[in-house]
Amino acid sequence: MYRFSNTVIGYLNLLTLLASIPIIGGGLWLARSSATCESSLQTPILVLGFLVLLVSLAGFVGACFNVAWALWLYLFVMLFLIAALLGLIAFGFAVTGGGRGVEVAGRVYHEYRLGDYSGWLRRRITEPRYWDAALACVVGSKTCAKIALWTPLDYLQRDLSPIQSGCCKPPTSCTYTEGAAMAAQDEDCYKWNNAPNILCYACDSCKAGVLEQVRMDWHKLTVLNVVVLIILIAIYSIGCCAFRNARRAESEYPYGENRMSKIHPRWDYYWYLTWLFSSYIFLDVTLCFDDRLNFALLVSLHSEQEYS
C-alpha cells in the first residue's frame, strides 16, 4: 500500500506537469495573440501555470524520495492553487458576463456596445494606458486591411470578427450625406473616417469589439481551467494519502519494509517498571521478615521443650 500510494502520486504529478503546459501555453497565446489586445487576464494565467509546474516538480521529488516535509509543503501550495484557481474561474465568469453583441438586420455579423459589458472591463479598457496598448495591438495586427477591399455585397453575406465589426467600419445604423454624418445619430458615426490610420479606432464600438474578443478567449480558457481544477483536486486527495504514508514510514508504524531505527517507549512504561521493582523489593523484605519471625518461634518452642 505504501509503495502504491507513492507511485500513484508520482505519476499524477507527472500528469500535472503535463497539465501545466496548456495553462502556460494559453497564457502565452493570450499575450501574443494579435486579436486579443488586452493583457489584464494574461498575468494570472501565466503565474498559475508556472506555479503548477514548480509544485508538481516538488511533489514528484517528495513522493519518489519519501520526504515528508516536501510533501507537506506540496500539499499546502496545492491547496492554495486550488483556491486561487477557483477564485480566478469565478472572477472570469463575473467580469466577462454580458456582451455577445446584437444582431444586425440583413447582416451575418454582430455589432457590439460598450455599455453591455461589466463595469470593471469598461474601466480597464477606457483607461489611456490600457487602451493605447490595445489600440497599438489592433493597428499592428492589420485586421482592418483584410476587409479593405470588400464590396457592399461582402458586408451583406460574410461574417466579421468582433474587432473588425467595431473598429474597421462605422455602425450600420449610420447615415452619411456626401461623406458627412447626418444629425441625431450614434456618436461613433461622427468619429468614423475613411483614412486607413483612423477608421473607427476612436469609437466606443471598437473598445466593445476588443472586449468581446477578450470575453470569447476567456471563456475558452475557463473550460481548460475547470478541467485542470478537477485534476488538481484528485491529485491533492491522493497526495494526502501519500503524506500520511510518508509520516508513518518515519515513525514506528511503517508499511512494507521495516524502516524503524529507534523505539521510543511510552511514558507509562517507565512507571510500570518502577512499580514492578518496588513491588519486588517490598515482597522480598516481607518474605525475609516472615522467615526470621518463623525462625524465632521455632527456637522459642525448642527451648521450652528442653526446659520442661
Side-chain angles (χ1 to χ4, degrees):
M1 180 64 182
Y2 164 73
R3 293 184 181 274
F4 175 76
S5 298
N6 282 266
T7 302
V8 169
I9 197 64
Y11 278 112
L12 286 177
N13 274 281
L14 181 61
L15 291 177
T16 311
L17 280 173
L18 299 177
S20 67
I21 296 175
I23 299 179
I24 297 174
L28 293 175
W29 173 66
L30 275 180
R32 298 178 62 87
S33 175
S34 61
T36 299
C37 306
E38 171 61 49
S39 60
S40 61
L41 300 177
Q42 296 160 9
T43 301
I45 296 174
L46 288 174
V47 170
L48 278 177
F50 282 108
L51 278 177
V52 170
L53 178 66
L54 295 176
V55 170
S56 299
L57 284 174
F60 184 80
V61 172
C64 292
F65 293 95
N66 193 32
V67 182
W69 67 265
L71 285 174
W72 181 89
L73 180 63
Y74 161 76
L75 291 175
F76 176 79
V77 179
M78 282 284 288
L79 184 62
F80 171 78
L81 281 177
I82 291 173
L85 195 57
L86 275 172
L88 185 62
I89 292 173
F91 176 77
F93 277 120
V95 301
T96 58
R100 296 181 177 84
V102 294
E103 295 183 355
V104 181
R107 303 292 195 274
V108 179
Y109 58 82
H110 290 68
E111 290 187 340
Y112 306 93
R113 299 170 182 170
L114 189 60
D116 293 339
Y117 296 90
S118 66
W120 186 85
L121 284 178
R122 292 200 305 270
R123 288 191 297 271
R124 294 278 289 188
I125 202 66
T126 54
E127 289 182 13
R129 58 173 178 164
Y130 294 114
W131 175 240
D132 291 344
L135 183 59
C137 182
V138 171
V139 175
S141 67
K142 301 185 184 301
T143 301
C144 294
K146 299 175 182 178
I147 62 172
L149 299 179
W150 277 20
T151 64
L153 184 61
D154 290 326
Y155 282 96
L156 289 174
Q157 297 178 347
R158 302 176 67 177
D159 197 6
L160 295 171
S161 70
I163 292 178
Q164 289 174 334
S165 176
C167 302
C168 305
K169 67 171 188 61
T172 307
S173 61
C174 294
T175 303
Y176 295 93
T177 301
E178 297 180 356
M182 298 179 64
Q185 298 192 76
D186 192 312
E187 292 184 1
D188 287 345
C189 298
Y190 303 98
K191 299 176 182 178
W192 163 259
N193 193 299
N194 277 323
N197 60 335
I198 299 178
L199 299 179
C200 210
Y201 292 142
C203 301
D204 288 343
S205 62
C206 187
K207 296 182 177 66
V210 172
L211 291 183
E212 178 62 20
Q213 190 67 51
V214 171
R215 189 195 67 81
M216 293 169 58
D217 292 340
W218 183 257
H219 276 277
K220 293 176 184 177
L221 290 174
T222 298
V223 176
L224 176 63
N225 289 339
V226 171
V227 174
V228 172
L229 179 64
I230 295 173
I231 295 175
L232 288 179
I233 293 175
I235 294 175
Y236 180 82
S237 301
I238 300 178
C240 291
C241 298
F243 173 69
R244 181 187 59 187
N245 293 334
R247 292 194 61 184
R248 284 178 173 174
E250 295 179 352
S251 66
E252 64 271 21
Y253 304 107
Y255 285 119
E257 180 184 355
N258 188 1
R259 300 177 182 271
M260 287 191 299
S261 59
K262 296 181 181 179
I263 297 179
H264 302 282
R266 292 172 49 176
W267 62 272
D268 54 351
Y269 175 74
Y270 298 103
W271 285 102
Y272 170 75
L273 290 181
T274 303
W275 175 82
L276 187 63
F277 181 75
S278 301
S279 300
Y280 175 77
I281 296 298
F282 176 76
L283 183 61
D284 184 66
V285 171
T286 302
L287 292 175
C288 182
F289 178 77
D290 290 342
D291 290 341
R292 290 182 179 180
L293 182 59
N294 292 333
F295 179 75
L297 290 175
L298 290 174
V299 170
S300 176
L301 290 173
H302 181 71
S303 299
E304 291 178 0
Q305 289 177 359
E306 289 183 351
Y307 178 77
S308 57

